[in-house]
Amino acid sequence: MILNCAQQLPLLRHTDVPPRVIENFILTGYRFPNYSLRDCLMSAFRPTNETGNFWTHFLPVFVFFYYFVEVFGWEGAPGGETPFFYPLWNYFIGVFCLLMASSMAHLLNSMSLVVREVCFFVDYGTISVYTVGSSLAYYYYIHPRAGILETGGHNSSHTDLKQEPSGTPTSSYAIPEFSVFFEIFYIPSACIVAIICVLSCCNTRQRWRRHRYIIRTLVFLLPFLVSSTPVFYRLLTRSPYSAASSSFDASTSMPSFFYRHCLWLLVSAAFNISKFPERLAPGRFDIWGHSHQWFHCCTFLSILDELHMIKAEVRAILLSPTLLLPPNTVARLPGPTAASTYGVMLLLQTTIVSIIMWFSWHANCIYGPQRDQLEKEHPKKHLKCH
């Protein structure tokens, strides 16, 4: 069959696409299973069941960037290239990769069954990158000792300091049992859990298909719990800043942002598992308003509140007089370095890329023959025009 070049490829019903492509309770709006790259890009501007999924994570990239760069314009903030901001930039990398990978996965997944699998493997990988980026920001800005210096007298009535026999002040935790975890295991634990999550989610595309949405949702509860331990600690203990200081005022908004962050995560999980509202009216929400679009919106709102929470703590640290860090002053918490931030992320991403490559190879072994069969059954009609 010969089509005019300007004619768009038809959208299909769930009965006309491979079972692998079908989403629960979505009956129409499926794209042709062998779109070209150009067809995929153009489909962002036509109503399909993936259009909303693309835009609900692509547009937030710009919203996030707008609120992110505000930090560098604050009075007294060091330059954006200084080590102090390394953890914040790594957090940005994690969020940027997450939003872009998710939007591109939904836009490009109709090129073939193999490409579809690879797109979502990358999507899962970037979620883990985001969780570790969050952990680095939490560690350097919300850690129990973040921004507090090894000097006596400053906030001495509000920070946990004790004197050595020599008279030198040393740090102490309000909950001492957490000290070893924070100092040694926190970042490694975040990385290990992130890798476990990638492996688990990728496996749901080849095994455990029946309960894949529940598994994918719950498997990311563990990195949330691990990453958020500095926040839990701060909520269970008193503020490290003097109640009379401007740092204390800036830090007081952190709990409310965290609670909202948690609320949006719970709502997004509910949408992802329940498949509401399309479950109630199959076919009615095929293009706009189905659960995955609401899932995207809620996850971004959770990220935005998390960003505001981190910014509140960054502001509190910057307002602390001792954070001016004279050259002869040593911070309690070792400052961020390229190796402890970018190095950690590079090592993690190298590991995740290796995992994605392995699962992609396996997916090609499974779906490669199906792809060839689909190309025979549905030749690329749009290549020849008149």
Side-chain angles (χ1 to χ4, degrees):
M1 180 177 179
I2 300 176
L3 299 178
N4 188 285
C5 281
Q7 185 172 347
Q8 294 177 327
L9 291 169
L11 297 179
L12 307 177
R13 291 184 57 82
H14 68 291
T15 53
D16 301 321
V17 296
R20 191 71 182 172
V21 177
I22 298 172
E23 298 291 342
N24 293 341
F25 312 111
I26 302 296
L27 307 183
T28 61
Y30 291 95
R31 292 175 295 176
F32 195 79
N34 285 306
Y35 268 41
S36 67
L37 176 60
R38 179 182 179 278
D39 293 328
C40 287
L41 296 177
M42 293 302 295
S43 71
F45 304 98
R46 65 183 296 208
T48 76
N49 56 22
E50 292 282 26
T51 304
N53 294 338
F54 166 74
W55 288 108
T56 49
H57 262 180
F58 183 72
L59 292 178
V61 172
F62 303 97
V63 178
F64 179 82
F65 183 76
Y66 172 80
Y67 285 105
F68 175 80
V69 296
E70 181 185 25
V71 176
F72 306 109
W74 286 347
E75 183 179 355
E81 75 285 352
T82 59
F84 176 78
F85 282 127
Y86 286 176
L88 196 64
W89 279 114
N90 277 268
Y91 175 67
F92 174 82
I93 291 170
V95 175
F96 178 81
C97 289
L98 166 65
L99 296 176
M100 287 301 296
S102 176
S103 58
M104 290 298 108
H106 287 289
L107 188 63
L108 305 179
N109 67 60
S110 64
M111 295 179 71
S112 72
L113 290 177
V114 175
V115 171
R116 180 182 179 83
E117 297 299 293
V118 174
C119 281
F120 289 110
F121 292 154
V122 173
D123 189 15
Y124 305 146
T126 56
I127 295 173
S128 288
V129 171
Y130 154 70
T131 62
V132 173
S134 299
S135 298
L136 289 170
Y138 290 179
Y139 183 72
Y140 285 105
Y141 304 131
I142 311 180
H143 184 286
R145 297 194 304 170
I148 306 170
L149 305 181
E150 284 281 13
T151 56
H154 175 68
N155 295 350
S156 59
S157 61
H158 295 271
T159 60
D160 298 299
L161 291 177
K162 62 182 180 180
Q163 296 287 332
E164 290 282 349
S166 62
T168 304
T170 63
S171 62
S172 175
Y173 288 78
I175 306 176
E177 293 78 11
F178 280 114
S179 61
V180 174
F181 172 75
F182 281 133
E183 300 299 332
I184 301 175
F185 297 113
Y186 174 64
I187 295 299
S189 296
C191 293
I192 292 171
V193 168
I195 292 170
I196 292 172
C197 289
V198 176
L199 290 167
S200 301
C201 286
C202 288
N203 257 316
T204 63
R205 303 199 67 82
Q206 298 178 356
R207 309 173 189 174
W208 316 328
R209 290 280 300 168
R210 183 176 179 181
H211 303 293
R212 60 190 182 276
Y213 296 114
I214 296 177
I215 294 172
R216 290 171 195 168
T217 302
L218 295 181
V219 80
F220 284 105
L221 177 63
L222 182 57
F224 165 77
L225 293 175
V226 173
S227 296
S228 300
T229 48
V231 184
F232 296 145
Y233 183 98
R234 287 286 296 274
L235 294 175
L236 292 171
T237 59
R238 56 193 170 194
S239 173
Y241 304 106
S242 168
S245 68
S246 54
S247 294
F248 181 87
D249 294 336
S251 185
T252 52
S253 62
M254 185 270 284
S256 61
F257 285 127
F258 180 69
Y259 294 142
R260 279 171 34 185
H261 169 67
C262 295
L263 175 62
W264 288 122
L265 286 178
L266 288 174
V267 174
S268 67
F271 275 118
N272 200 39
I273 293 174
S274 68
K275 297 301 165 186
F276 177 88
E278 64 267 24
R279 176 186 290 273
L280 302 180
R284 186 172 181 178
F285 300 96
D286 290 352
I287 306 300
W288 304 110
H290 58 74
S291 61
H292 205 79
Q293 294 169 10
W294 291 112
F295 167 72
H296 276 195
C297 292
C298 292
T299 53
F300 175 66
L301 289 173
S302 77
I303 290 172
L304 203 56
D305 277 323
E306 180 184 49
L307 173 63
H308 290 318
M309 175 183 70
I310 293 171
K311 285 169 61 178
E313 290 301 298
V314 171
R315 181 183 286 276
I317 293 174
L318 290 174
L319 290 172
S320 176
T322 56
L323 192 76
L324 297 178
L325 295 178
N328 60 342
T329 305
V330 181
R332 288 192 187 181
L333 179 65
T337 65
S340 67
T341 53
Y342 294 107
V344 168
M345 288 288 273
L346 179 61
L347 182 60
L348 174 73
Q349 293 199 47
T350 302
T351 305
I352 289 176
V353 167
S354 301
I355 294 171
I356 291 171
M357 290 177 64
W358 189 90
F359 276 100
S360 300
W361 172 81
H362 198 242
N364 188 62
C365 294
I366 298 173
Y367 302 111
Q370 295 184 33
R371 173 193 58 202
D372 298 337
Q373 183 63 28
L374 280 171
E375 288 178 352
K376 291 179 182 178
E377 294 175 358
H378 305 282
K380 296 193 175 182
K381 307 167 188 176
H382 53 295
L383 293 179
K384 190 174 181 180
C385 309
H386 70 272

